Structure formats: C-alpha cells, structure tokens
Amino acid sequence: TKSAHKSKGILFNELEKQLKKYNVKFNPQNEDKILQEFRNQNKYSLLAELLYNFFHHYRSNSYDNRVVLTKIYDLKVEHEKLRSLKFLGIYNAVYKSYREDYKKLKRIDFYDMIDDAIDRVPNENLKYILVDEFQDTSRARCRLLEAIKRKNNNSKLFAVGDDWQSIEAFAGSDIKIMTRDFEKIFGFKKTLTLDKTFRFNQTLCDITNEFILRNKYQLRKKVKSNIQENNQKTVEFQEFNIDHKSNDIKNYKNKEEILKNYYLFLFLNKINKELVGNTTILTRYKYKKYGNTFGKIQIGTLLSNYENIAWSTIHGFKGRESNNVIVDRLQSGYFAFPVEIPEDPILFLVKNFDPNEMADAEERRLFYVALTRAKNKIFVISNKSRPSKYLEEIKKICKKYDT
C-alpha cells in the first residue's frame, strides 16, 4: 500500500485487495473488541479529550457546521480534509446525543446561559461595566459584554487585565480580545498601565520583563519595583538526572525511603534552612502525569514532613504568591515545559488561531506566571538529561541582572 491510499481514504480497500492476492484469510473482529482495544491503547481518552476541547471552542465562538465545513474544504492537504470530515461526523453524533440528553433532563449548559442572557439583557441605564481578569475573556463572554454595552448605550466599559498572564486558552479565552480587537469590538479606548509591583524586587522585574517581552505581540510595559534589593541571588538553578531518579523510585519500599533518596526531597533537605517564610513547589503538570511518580503516595503526604512547603500546578497557583518558589521539572521531551507536542490541527477549525503568534506564546506566559509568584527567592530544577529550551534562555537573562 501507499501513503496516497491513506490520503484518498481507500487504504483499507487497497490493503484487502493486496492480502487477497496472497490468499490471506480474514478474521473480522466485532465492534466491541475493537472498541476495547481502542480503550486499551488510551486512544479512547485522547478522542474524548479532543471532542471536549473542540466542543468548548465550537460553542464559545458560536460556530455551526457551515463555518466548520467551509474551513475544512479550504484545507490544502487531502488527508487532513478527510480526517476533519470524519471527526466532524463523530462530533455531530456526540453533540446531538448531548443536546437530546440535556433537553430530556430540562438542563442548560454554560453557553446556553450566555446565549439566553444575551437575548434578555435589559437597558438599566448603566454608567459603568466593570470586568476583572479581562485577559481571560472568551469570545462567548465578549458577546455578552457587547450586548450589555449595546443595550446600555451610554455606559463605559472598565476592564482590568494583564495580557502577560493570559494562560487560559485551553478553557476558551482569547488574548486577542484584549491585545488586538478591543477597539474594533468596543470602540474608543484609553489605556492606563499599572507598572508597579509590590511583590518582588527590581531584579526579578528586569528578568521577567525581558523574558516575556521576547514575544513581540505582548503589550509593551516596563514593570518597576520599590522593594529593597538584598545581596543574595534571586534565581538559583539546580540540575538533576530526573529520569534516572524516577526509575529508582520504583525500588523504594515506603515513604521514608522516598524522602531519603528522591531528588526533590534531597534538594528540599539541602535548602530548607535558608528558606524564610512559606515555599511553594510549582509544576507544569500534576506529579502523577510524570509516570505516577510517587506510586500511591500523594505529594501532599510527602510534604507534610516539611513546615510551610506546599505544591501546586502553575495554573492552580495563578493569582497567588509565596515567599519562595521552586519551579520543578523544567525539561524537554515528554511532559515538557514548554509543551512540545503540537495541538491537534482539528482544533484550528474552531479556535481563533493567529498564524503570526509566537509558537510557544502561552507556555512563555505560563513560565512568566510561575516566576512572578515569588516574593523573595526562586529555585529552578531542570532535568539534566532533557533540558528545556527555556533553561539556557532564562540563565542568560539572569546573568545580566542577577549578580
């Protein structure tokens, strides 16, 4: 068979013809067995996740099949076109069932609420509409804001947000509403830049400013701090052969052995005396994603041996702060930071994709958020065998400012 057969959607027919030439006997599997194998290979959950993400962007952007089909027929690669059409067929079947179930149960979902609210927005002679965390606004929420402002024609929209901290695209937020489309949607704007931080010193301001502004599509500003500098380094780096240590952990019999031998706790024991105030370990993923790292033992149970040390994902810690931050698992390869697995092109059919956007823009903002949670000190733990592309970049920036 040839790759062209797959592109044209005739691969199985051609394969059957070729096998029959050699008198191969066929043993068709029933659908239940095929579905079970699909589940065994973890393909079931991957498809479910893709359908889930597609649904949220489809609904948030108020798309219908006509819009999606137009995008599909504009695709240049025949294989992508056929795959997209097959996926849309699966999605439509799932979505139809979902809507029917909700109708029977007399329920509505979040997007129904927004659509109903848009239809019922009253004129209440509002003077001001206040919106916080504007960088995380989705197109659906934006339509609701438009409707409120349209009905209350003399109102002013007051939006507070930081595009440098826009990290919710997976949930439907669209940073371009703030950085590019605001005037198109809401009309004349006046921007007041909040350029002073009361959390950390000027050294960390300079480091994080330079890092985030390497994406030329972020709004320009220079953040300043009045917090007094000390004579200590703000950011310290530590390398471990994490893959090797993660394999070793399978040989540890209990909690005590993990605490004595595993790289993270060896590091905590080393720095514990110099930590002043609370400390938070931040990771790109939950620890169980990194190959069920601690077996059945929870990270919280292991950290209970330490005073004032906790763990969170970076997403989960947004909007919060800690005296000290440890960014763990800065690595490349699988479960990398920044993520190296590209999004499924299916999602580009329903996302407001900007081809000019920096490739890892959202991941860059996520790392920025991690670094700026710290009030005093940051420790960055990298994987020696698989260093992240951010490692050398942030080290070079730190050499300029953190001496």
Side-chain angles (χ1 to χ4, degrees), residues 44-294:
Y44 191 80
S45 59
L46 291 173
L47 176 60
E49 185 178 351
L50 184 58
L51 285 164
Y52 176 83
N53 290 332
F54 189 91
F55 164 82
H56 279 292
H57 292 292
Y58 183 97
R59 296 294 309 279
S60 181
N61 291 313
S62 276
Y63 279 1
D64 56 27
N65 277 359
R66 179 179 51 80
V67 175
V68 177
L69 283 169
T70 300
K71 289 189 173 188
I72 290 174
Y73 288 121
D74 283 343
L75 293 171
K76 305 291 186 231
V77 180
E78 193 65 24
H79 167 60
E80 287 183 11
K81 193 179 291 185
L82 287 166
R83 180 174 180 262
S84 299
L85 286 169
K86 291 284 187 187
F87 176 85
L88 186 61
I90 295 169
Y91 172 78
N92 284 336
V94 172
Y95 184 61
K96 183 184 176 186
S97 176
Y98 165 80
R99 296 305 289 176
E100 287 173 352
D101 285 349
Y102 262 52
K103 193 173 180 180
K104 284 177 190 173
L105 295 167
K106 295 182 179 179
R107 290 179 178 174
I108 59 173
D109 64 20
F110 178 72
Y111 299 103
D112 294 326
M113 291 181 200
I114 288 182
D115 290 340
D116 288 351
I118 289 170
D119 292 337
R120 301 179 189 196
V121 168
N123 179 359
E124 296 180 293
N125 296 313
L126 298 176
K127 289 185 178 181
Y128 301 102
I129 304 163
L130 310 180
V131 183
D132 195 13
E133 300 288 349
F134 192 73
Q135 76 279 353
D136 294 327
T137 302
S138 66
R139 291 286 166 174
R141 294 188 185 107
C142 184
R143 287 196 306 278
L144 179 57
L145 282 174
E146 282 183 89
I148 295 170
K149 195 167 187 313
R150 191 167 51 248
K151 284 281 187 176
N152 298 268
N153 197 34
N154 294 319
S155 63
K156 289 182 171 61
L157 173 62
F158 185 82
V160 180
D162 182 2
D163 67 300
W164 294 7
Q165 297 189 56
S166 179
I167 58 171
E168 306 287 337
F170 67 92
S173 73
D174 188 346
I175 190 176
K176 295 186 293 300
I177 296 169
M178 181 175 181
T179 59
R180 191 189 70 186
D181 300 338
F182 190 94
E183 281 186 287
K184 282 189 243 172
I185 298 168
F186 300 108
F188 172 80
K189 74 172 182 181
K190 184 175 180 180
T191 303
L192 175 65
T193 302
L194 303 177
D195 59 1
K196 195 166 285 185
T197 181
F198 300 92
R199 178 177 293 162
F200 44 79
N201 62 31
Q202 190 59 44
T203 297
L204 189 52
C205 281
D206 293 337
I207 291 167
T208 53
N209 275 14
E210 179 164 335
F211 180 78
I212 195 67
L213 287 176
R214 290 189 174 184
N215 178 359
K216 64 181 182 179
Y217 293 100
Q218 300 293 161
L219 298 180
R220 306 283 108 177
K221 60 178 180 279
K222 176 74 174 174
V223 179
K224 297 172 185 175
S225 171
N226 288 333
I227 293 176
Q228 190 173 356
E229 301 274 356
N230 55 37
N231 295 322
Q232 294 182 333
K233 279 199 169 188
T234 302
V235 185
E236 291 190 14
F237 298 90
Q238 179 70 54
E239 290 184 331
F240 288 101
N241 191 337
I242 293 173
D243 295 333
H244 177 70
K245 295 288 183 185
S246 295
N247 288 332
D248 285 350
I249 204 167
K250 294 169 186 173
N251 300 318
Y252 302 151
K253 295 175 183 176
N254 51 43
K255 172 184 170 182
E256 286 68 32
E257 286 197 11
I258 294 173
L259 290 169
K260 283 181 184 177
N261 296 285
Y262 196 58
Y263 80 90
L264 178 61
F265 305 106
L266 290 173
F267 182 68
L268 290 179
N269 295 337
K270 176 184 170 185
I271 65 168
N272 204 13
K273 288 182 181 178
E274 65 180 275
L275 298 176
V276 178
N278 66 320
T279 299
T280 305
I281 302 165
L282 297 178
T283 51
R284 174 64 182 80
Y285 305 94
K286 292 181 179 179
Y287 271 110
K288 66 181 180 182
K289 283 269 191 179
Y290 301 112
N292 200 19
T293 304
F294 306 119

